[in-house]
Amino acid sequence: MTDGSRFSARLDLEQGRVDMSHGAGGRAMAQLIDELFKQALDNEWLSQGNDQALFSVPPGRLVMSTDAHVVSPLFFPGGDIGSLAVHGTLNDVAMSGARPLHLAASFILEEGFPLADLARIVASLAQAAREAGVAVVTGDTKVVERGKGDGVFITTTGIGVVPEGIAISGDRARPGDVILINGHIGDHGIAILSQRENLGFETAIQSDSAALHGLVADMIAAVPDIHCLRDPTRGGLATTLNELAQQSGVGMRVRETDIPVREAVSAACELLGLDPAYVANEGKLVAICPADRAETLLATMRAHPLGAQSAIIGEVVEDSLGFVQMQTRFGGERLLDWLTGEQLPRIC
Amino acid sequence: MKYVDEFRDRHLARQLAAAIAAEVDPEREYRLMEFCGGHTHAIFRYGIQQLMPPNLRFVHGPGCPVCVLPMTRLDQAIAMTREHGVTLCTYGDLMRVPASGRRTLLKAKAAGADVRMIYSTQDVLRIARDEPERQVVFMAIGFETTTPPTAVAILQARAEGLKNLSFLCNHVLTPPALRAILSLAGPEGVRLDGILGPSHVSTVIGTRPYEFVPNQFGIPVVIAGFEPLDVMQSALMLVRQINDGRREVENQYSRAVGEGGNARALELMARVFVTRPSFEWRGLGFLPESAPALAEDYADLDAERRFPVTVETSREIKGCECPAILRGLKEPTECKLFGAVCTPDNPMGACMVSSEGACAAYWSHRTHMPSSGLNR
Amino acid sequence: MCLAIPARVTHVTRIDPAIDTAVVDLGGVSREVSIALVPEVEVGDYVLVHVGYALNRISEEEAQETLKLMAEMTRLLDEEMGNADVVAKPA
C-alpha cells in the first residue's frame, strides 16, 4: 500500500507538531497513520488498510473490555501513556482468566502536540503490545483544538478467549476463601505523584505497569478454581476489595502487616498524608481462591517474575454488609472503606 | 522510619495499655480531651480507645483547622474568584469542605474558577512568579504549625516585590480555643479531667502557653506526640497526675517540643501578624484574640483588603451537630444527620470532611467485628 | 491536625537565611524543604517536615529518654505483677 511517493515530504518527527489536518481525514492524516502508527505497530491487519480488522477466533468464550487512558504526566518512571494503554486493557481482559487476542486503539491528539512525543508514545505502545504477544489490529485518530485536550488521550479495547472450565467473576468470593496479591502496592501512584512538580519529592520508585496475562495463565493452570481476579488500579487495593466484597455479598479481613508496601511508598504516603491502600497500581492483581488451594496458588505466583513478592493478605468472611476490615500493624482493627472522592495530598 | 517505627511498637503498646489498666482507679472516670485532630486520627487509626479501660474515655476536641473554619470564609474565597477573577491557591484539605449552598472549592473549580491545590507556600510563590499576569491569592489555613510557613511566604513576597500575590489569612490560635472550651461552665460545658496537648503546634509555641489550664482551670495537661505510643504514654501520664492530685503541664513530646518553642518561627510570626480582636470559629462562635491577621505594614499583601467582597453570614445546615461535637459535648453518633445524609462522600458538616474530623473518624470505624481468625 | 514527619537532612544549601533550603530523606524519598524556620540545621539532623518546611529539630537524646521512660513505666507494672520476664525492650 504505502509507497511513500504519495506525500511530498516525510513527517518531521523531530520538530513537527500535530495540527488540525492530521485529524481531518485527508492526506495529512493518511501520512500520519502510515508513517507513524503503521510503521510502529506493523501487522498484517493494519497493512490491509481497512477500517476494520477481520480475523477468526479460537473456540471458547470471548471477553471484551475497553479503557480510556488519561495520565499526567504522559511519561513517568517505569512507563508512559502508551505502555499504560496496552497494560490497562490487557489486564482487564486477563482478569477473566482470558488469553488476550487483539487490541484496538483510538488516539485523541491535541493540536500542537509534538510529533516526537507522539512517536515515542506509539513506539512504547507498540513495544508493550509486542511483548504481550498481541497486535493492535485497528485504530482511529482524531485531533482536537489546542487547549481542548491534554496532549494525548488513548482508548484501547481488547478481546480475549476464556478457556473452558474457568469461571472467574467478582461475585464468586465465598466465606473462608483466601485473598492474595502479587506484590508491593502503591508503586504506580507514587511514581506518578513524584513527577508532579508541585509535590517536589524524588524517589527511585517506578510504576509497576505490566501486562499480567502471563501470570494469570500460570495461575489458572495451577488452580483452575480461582474465584475472583481483579487489578487494583484507581482507588487502590482498598477500593478493589470493597468492590469484590459488595459484588459477592461477603466481608473481608486483611492484615496490614502482610500487605507488601515498599518503604519509599510508605514514606511518600506519610509525607503527603495518603494511605498506600488507596494508591493506584497498574501491574497488580488481587486473587481470591478456596483456602485449600491458596498455598499452591501462592507458590505459582511467586514463581512468576511478576509475582515474586506475592503474599496472602487475608480472608473472606461472612458479612452481608460487605465490610472490609483491616487488622492494623499496631494490633487494632479498622475499616478499610471505599475511597472518598480523589485522594488529595493534605496538611492535616 | 526513624522516630516513627519505634513509636508504633505493638508490644510496648500492650504493656502501656496494661499499665494504664492497672493504674486507673476503677471508682472514677477519666475524661481526657485530645485537642488535636492528629490525636483523634491516631486514636482511631490504631484503635487506641479499644486498648483503654472502660472508665478512660477520649473526648475529641476542636483541633482540626478545616473543621473550625466557618462557611463564611469559604464563601468569601469563592466570591474572590468570581468577582475578582483571582487564582486561589490552598491546601488539599480545603477542596471538599462545604461552603454555603452545597458549594465547595472543587465545584467552584469545575465551574471555571482558577482554584489550585498546593502543598507548600513555596509553591504559591512560584505560581505568582511564573504567572505575573494572574492575581494569586493564598487561602492560608491552619493552627500555629502552618502559620510560620505563611509568615515566611509573606516576607519573601515582600522581599521579592511580588505585586500579584496576596494572602487570605484564616489561621487560628490554639490557646484561645482551649480557653473557650474550658470556660463553658455549667450544663453548656464539657467535664474534662485532663488534656492531651498538641504535638506540632507545641513545637512552635512551646509548653508555656498552656500553663493557664492547670493554673486557672485546675486541669492537667500533657503535651503529646502523634504516634500511638506517644498518645498512650501521655494518657498514662495524665492518669498519674489525676491520681496524684497534681495539676501541671508535662511534656511527653520532648524530642520535638521545648519550653519556649521555636523562637525563630515565633519571631517571624510576630513580625508579619497581629492578633484580630475577634474571629469566628465554627462551633465555638466568635472568640476574642483567637486569630492572626496581617499587620499594618503588610496590609498591601492582605487579600481581604485587596479584593473586597461581601458575603452573607452563612447558616449551618439544619440539624448538623458539628458545633456541639467540636466542643466535646456530643458524639458524632448523636447527630441525626450522621450516616443518614452526612457521609464522607456527601458531607454536610466539616467534621465529616476532614479525615481528622471526629465524624469522619467515627464513620470510618463505624463497624466492629469480633476479633477472630486473623491471628494465624 | 498538622501532618508532620521526621526526616533526615542530607544536604543544606545556604545563600540567605530567609530562603535557605535543605534536602531531606525519608525512607528513600527525598524532598527539598525550606529551613527558614530552623536556620541552624546541619546535615545528619532529623527535622519535622510540615508543608515543605522544616519545623523543628528532633532531639535524639530526648527520643531515647522517652522510650526509656516508656519501658520503665511498664517495667514497674511487670515487677508488681511478678512478671518481670515480659519486660518490653525499646526498639
Side-chain angles (χ1 to χ4, degrees), chain B residues 171-185:
Chain B
H171 287 300
V172 283
L173 303 173
T174 305
L178 202 47
R179 183 183 291 277
I181 286 180
L182 297 174
S183 302
L184 290 166

Side-chain angles (χ1 to χ4, degrees), chain B residues 2-3 12 15 22 36-38 63 119-122 143 145-146 149 200-201 203 226 233 254-256 262 264 356, chain C residues 1-2 4 19 31 36-37 46 48 50-51 53 55-56 58-60 62-63 66 70 73-74 77-78 86 88 91:
Chain B
K2 192 168 161 67
Y3 301 122
L12 208 42
Q15 306 254 340
C36 274
Y119 177 74
S120 168
T121 57
Q122 292 294 321
F143 283 89
T145 336
T146 314
H200 298 147
V201 160
T203 68
F226 279 147
Q233 185 179 28
S254 57
R255 63 186 183 276
N262 181 333
R264 168 103 182 141
E356 307 222 327
Chain C
M1 128 187 118
C2 312
I19 56 167
R31 192 194 201 283
L37 304 173
Y46 275 78
L48 266 179
H50 176 64
V51 296
Y53 285 77
L55 209 54
N56 226 337
I58 310 258
S59 155
E60 168 70 20
E62 289 290 343
T66 300
M70 264 182 219
M73 282 173 135
T74 56
L77 170 89
D78 290 318
V86 291

